[in-house]
Amino acid sequence: NAHLSIESKEVKELAKVEGLSLEAALAVLQELTTLDKARQNQRSRVALNKVAREHNLPHSLAGQVLKEQLTVEEAITRSHVLQYRRRHYDDDSFEEWRESGEARIVARHGLKVETARLVENLKYDVKLRLGDEEVVLPKHTIKYHHGRDVRKPVQKLIKAERGAAPTEPITKVTRRFKIRDDELQRVMDLKSHLNVSLLEGEKFAAELIGYTRYELHFRVGDEGRLVVFRHALEHAEAVPLEEVLAAERYAKKMAKKKAGRGGKKKKKKR
């Protein structure tokens, strides 16, 4: 059978009759595999392609679904994670801040919240201008930062513990709180909220709109963004979607009620 190739008549006939690829039919005729194994492999490939096509998955994840190592939902989330990482995982909000030249609100350990400009973005440190002074700070001492235009919404969002004592940042990476990207991606896919507690006691829940290797990005107001660093987390978990929807319905109801009261007051003045 050494003379056979995928162009050979016998190979094409076997492939047509058995529904095999030309390569599989050639392997059977060359006795490199059995017909039963070739049929089984063909069925597996068909099933793999079907799962991959129906759920828009790479073959590696579709294979894990077929082996029942992942559910379809888990595989879809994992696929979104891989896509998101390729685009955004190495984004650096410090570099974006430096390039903008704008003054931002920065919160750092020691319960200090200040307005600063970022002068230089180093590997492990940042040089900030605080008033007339320039200081170099380790990045792990910074908890979050945001634009000055959303100062009031952030103040309203983040609830600080009364009488909270300053704490030192956790420098040992293995001791820091970790949240898996799959969980973050699920929250984002649902356009849901993340419940967050920081090491110095601050707490808030907000819509997660992005994540990178070191950061979590939250929506504040209509277009504002709050950047929280992973090293500042004490805990984070998804808010059940039912709670998010209920809160949104309540907020809309109260806004409508408030607007209605405003209309009545104007009517009385007339």
Side-chain angles (χ1 to χ4, degrees):
N1 296 327
H3 67 284
L4 293 172
S5 72
I6 59 172
E7 297 299 326
S8 300
K9 183 180 178 181
E10 304 97 305
V11 172
K12 290 181 178 179
E13 286 181 354
L14 180 62
K16 184 177 180 180
V17 170
E18 298 294 341
L20 301 175
S21 66
L22 291 173
E23 291 77 10
L26 176 61
V28 171
L29 290 175
Q30 290 179 332
E31 298 182 357
L32 299 176
T33 187
T34 66
L35 183 57
D36 285 343
K37 285 184 179 178
R39 288 169 176 163
Q40 178 59 42
N41 289 339
Q42 182 68 13
R43 286 194 292 270
S44 296
R45 279 194 293 272
V46 169
L48 182 69
N49 290 332
K50 183 180 179 183
V51 171
R53 184 176 60 255
E54 287 181 352
H55 303 289
N56 194 26
L57 296 173
H59 282 180
S60 58
L61 291 174
Q64 291 182 62
V65 171
L66 289 174
K67 293 174 184 175
E68 297 185 350
Q69 295 171 341
L70 292 174
T71 65
V72 171
E73 291 75 17
E74 289 169 340
I76 290 172
T77 297
R78 172 53 36 175
S79 177
H80 290 174
V81 167
L82 296 175
Q83 293 171 29
Y84 191 85
R85 280 178 173 175
R86 281 194 291 271
R87 297 194 304 269
H88 301 293
Y89 213 51
D90 292 319
D91 290 354
D92 182 355
S93 68
F94 280 132
E95 189 58 25
E96 183 185 329
W97 179 6
R98 184 194 66 78
E99 290 176 355
S100 73
E102 68 176 354
R104 294 179 67 82
I105 309 299
V106 58
R108 53 192 178 111
H109 276 267
L111 301 173
K112 296 177 181 177
V113 179
E114 301 158 297
T115 301
R117 295 183 187 275
L118 200 153
V119 178
E120 193 171 358
N121 181 24
L122 305 169
K123 188 172 184 180
Y124 299 112
D125 306 313
V126 286
K127 182 185 286 187
L128 298 180
R129 179 177 292 280
L130 300 167
D132 296 327
E133 182 184 10
E134 287 190 358
V135 296
V136 176
L137 299 172
K139 289 181 178 178
H140 65 254
T141 64
I142 295 177
K143 298 183 292 186
Y144 61 83
H145 65 82
H146 58 83
R148 290 186 296 178
D149 56 324
V150 291
R151 180 199 295 263
K152 288 185 178 179
V154 170
Q155 287 176 342
K156 187 176 180 181
L157 175 71
I158 297 179
K159 309 299 181 185
E161 287 185 358
R162 288 186 177 180
T167 64
E168 292 295 320
I170 297 174
T171 55
K172 197 169 183 179
V173 176
T174 55
R175 290 186 54 230
R176 290 175 180 166
F177 173 78
K178 292 179 178 61
I179 183 167
R180 296 176 64 244
D181 290 347
D182 291 48
E183 185 171 352
L184 296 174
Q185 189 67 48
R186 276 194 293 273
V187 172
M188 280 181 54
D189 287 349
L190 291 170
K191 291 183 169 49
S192 190
H193 289 51
L194 199 67
N195 221 343
V196 174
S197 298
L198 302 185
L199 290 169
E200 291 189 305
E202 303 98 326
K203 296 182 180 180
F204 68 92
E207 182 184 350
L208 182 71
I209 57 173
Y211 61 91
T212 71
R213 191 181 303 274
Y214 304 112
E215 307 166 352
L216 303 180
H217 296 196
F218 297 91
R219 187 187 307 282
V220 180
D222 294 331
E223 297 182 2
R225 182 180 56 145
L226 169 66
V227 179
V228 177
F229 293 94
R230 294 194 191 220
H231 58 245
L233 298 177
E234 181 182 57
H235 187 70
E237 63 181 358
V239 178
L241 186 59
E242 299 76 26
E243 292 184 18
V244 175
L245 296 175
E248 288 177 351
R249 286 195 298 270
Y250 178 75
K252 287 179 181 177
K253 181 179 177 181
M254 294 306 293
K256 190 175 180 181
K257 195 173 181 181
K258 187 176 179 181
R261 286 201 302 266
K264 287 179 182 178
K265 285 179 182 178
K266 286 180 181 178
K267 202 171 184 180
K268 284 180 180 178
K269 285 181 181 179
R270 287 177 187 173

